[in-house]
Amino acid sequence: MQKEKVIIIGSGPAGLTAALYTARAVINPLVISGSQLGGQISITNEVENYPGFPDGITGPELGEFMQKQAEAFGARIMIDEVTEVDFNNGSPFTVKTHGETFEAKVIIVCAGASPRRLEVPGEEEMIGRGVSFCATCDGFFFREKDVVVVGGGDSAMEETLFLTRFINQARVIHRRDELRAGEALKKRAFANEKISFIWDTVVEEIVGDSKVEAVRVRNVKTGETSELATDGVFIFIGHYPNSSLFEGQLEMDERGYLITDDHMATSVPGVFAAGEIQDPTYRQIATSVGQGCAAAIMAERWLEEQEKGRG
Ligand code: NAP
């Protein structure tokens, strides 16, 4: 069994910031990347609201900078997924990946969040065949095509605007008659000729044989149903925390967000958490970075206390 001082689970902005701070504190962190190195920013096209980049920066570029900076101070990044943890017997904790088992004195959980599903017939089967949760990843495959976008938040608007570089037209299907997205994105979306809106409407089924052909929709005010032909369905209806691994080990709320105190501590002493796995409110790169920094500082102090206590 490999012994570590600190293991950071997840490599998004929170995890990479925790890695930078613990590396600079010379506690030699090991980051286990998760399925997506860089986390959600690695599939974000443009980041315009992270301070320090007046002309914006792409998500993958920002992720790479964060990774390089953490590595420059000695953080080790392992490309693997955590498959099992055992926090129930206190520190040292056990962490298993597909290939290895580790023991760590302190853990920082930064496993992030994943896109929510509509949970309608056809959705799961059509992923990669016209159903997508990432415009940056898949937009290119829809050149000159007609797509529908589901959702009315910032993500839906940002991703739809990005899609307009490729597509012929996007119809945004939203369950209310007002967008949740902020003013700046709303304004840009309303001004874009390729984008139209279908209000008060929900998608009830995604239809197609080997690929998406249509969506069956229902107007929630009139109850009227209809079928809209489309080449693709992009779904941006929020996220859920990637916390199933920690069920029965760490306290979480009814939606699965890990519960942390003001110092990023979870319900288990020596296990800290940062970023979207414990943050249903802000969900910004800037806030995740701040939380990752705070968790690292507290993890370092906790470790120091333990070592003092023993010696
Ligand atoms: P969000 O703000 O939670 O919006 C989710 C959207 O999906 C809402 O419009 C919601 O409708 C709709 N929705 C939820 N469940 C649905 C369902 N089952 N069927 C149909 N529609 C459903 O999520 P988000 O857009 O991913 O944004 C998350 C956070 O990240 C927010 O704080 C946002 O401000 C931030 N963000 C910021 C930026 C930026 O600043 N550039 C970019 C991306 C994200 P209702 O409106 O009716 O609830």
Side-chain angles (χ1 to χ4, degrees):
M1 186 178 319
Q2 194 170 316
K3 293 190 179 184
E4 296 288 340
K5 271 193 179 163
V6 53
I7 287 184
I8 296 164
I9 302 176
S11 60
L16 292 175
T17 306
L20 170 66
Y21 273 74
T22 47
R24 281 177 53 80
V26 211
I27 48 177
N28 195 23
L30 175 69
V31 179
I32 303 176
S33 67
S35 59
Q36 202 167 45
L37 177 63
Q40 291 180 67
I41 57 166
S42 66
I43 55 164
T44 302
N45 183 53
E46 248 170 82
V47 178
E48 291 178 333
N49 54 7
Y50 189 67
F53 298 94
D55 301 321
I57 182 166
T58 70
E61 228 180 336
L62 182 58
E64 202 184 312
F65 285 166
M66 288 182 181
Q67 181 185 343
K68 276 191 181 153
Q69 197 174 352
E71 284 176 332
F73 289 99
R76 292 159 297 144
I77 296 175
M78 180 182 167
I79 312 290
D80 204 344
E81 274 177 295
V82 173
T83 53
E84 205 182 318
V85 294
D86 186 0
F87 299 159
N88 286 334
N89 300 314
S91 174
F93 306 104
T94 307
V95 174
K96 288 187 184 168
T97 67
H98 289 293
E100 283 174 73
T101 301
F102 299 90
E103 196 182 271
K105 289 184 180 163
V106 60
I107 304 276
I108 306 176
V109 179
C110 307
S114 294
R116 262 171 63 189
R117 305 280 207 257
L118 279 173
E119 293 177 18
V120 298
E123 182 183 38
E124 242 10 79
E125 303 87 296
M126 292 291 165
I127 292 174
R129 300 194 214 162
V131 168
S132 172
F133 299 87
C134 175
T136 314
C137 321
D138 300 327
F140 187 74
F141 301 114
F142 292 85
R143 277 183 315 263
E144 304 300 325
K145 305 268 191 207
D146 294 344
V147 302
V148 299
V149 173
V150 188
D154 282 327
S155 298
M157 291 312 107
E158 202 167 68
E159 303 273 329
T160 310
L161 284 161
F162 178 72
L163 281 173
T164 58
R165 295 180 187 193
F166 311 100
I167 51 141
N168 178 42
Q169 64 147 338
R171 284 170 293 177
V172 176
I173 301 175
H174 184 36
R175 64 184 178 181
R176 293 188 292 137
D177 60 1
E178 198 186 333
L179 293 178
R180 178 176 295 278
E183 286 307 319
L185 281 168
K186 227 176 356 195
K187 216 168 140 190
R188 278 170 61 199
F190 285 146
N192 193 305
E193 283 178 356
K194 287 187 173 180
I195 303 175
S196 60
F197 292 84
I198 301 174
W199 303 109
D200 299 314
T201 299
V202 291
V203 171
E204 292 196 316
E205 188 180 348
I206 297 169
V207 185
D209 266 338
S210 56
K211 61 179 182 57
V212 167
E213 287 161 21
V215 285
R216 209 182 307 282
V217 296
R218 177 172 55 86
N219 182 301
V220 292
K221 287 199 171 146
T222 63
E224 197 182 313
T225 58
S226 55
E227 205 169 280
L228 306 174
T230 186
D231 299 307
V233 184
F234 283 82
I235 300 164
F236 306 111
I237 58 166
H239 295 81
Y240 65 87
N242 296 323
S243 60
S244 55
L245 196 64
F246 309 104
E247 268 165 26
Q249 311 243 3
L250 299 176
E251 255 177 49
M252 45 185 87
D253 70 11
E254 66 292 345
R255 292 166 299 176
Y257 286 94
L258 298 187
I259 294 171
T260 49
D261 68 10
D262 290 347
H263 297 145
M264 315 318 292
T266 69
S267 53
V268 172
V271 179
F272 298 83
E276 293 193 18
I277 194 161
Q278 55 81 60
D279 171 19
T281 311
Y282 304 110
R283 307 194 56 258
Q284 302 294 306
I285 302 171
T287 47
S288 289
V289 160
Q291 292 155 2
C293 163
I297 292 171
M298 297 321 289
E300 184 197 330
R301 287 191 191 163
W302 191 85
L303 203 57
E304 207 174 87
E305 296 283 308
Q306 298 301 302
E307 282 169 0
K308 251 195 249 158
R310 264 198 295 273

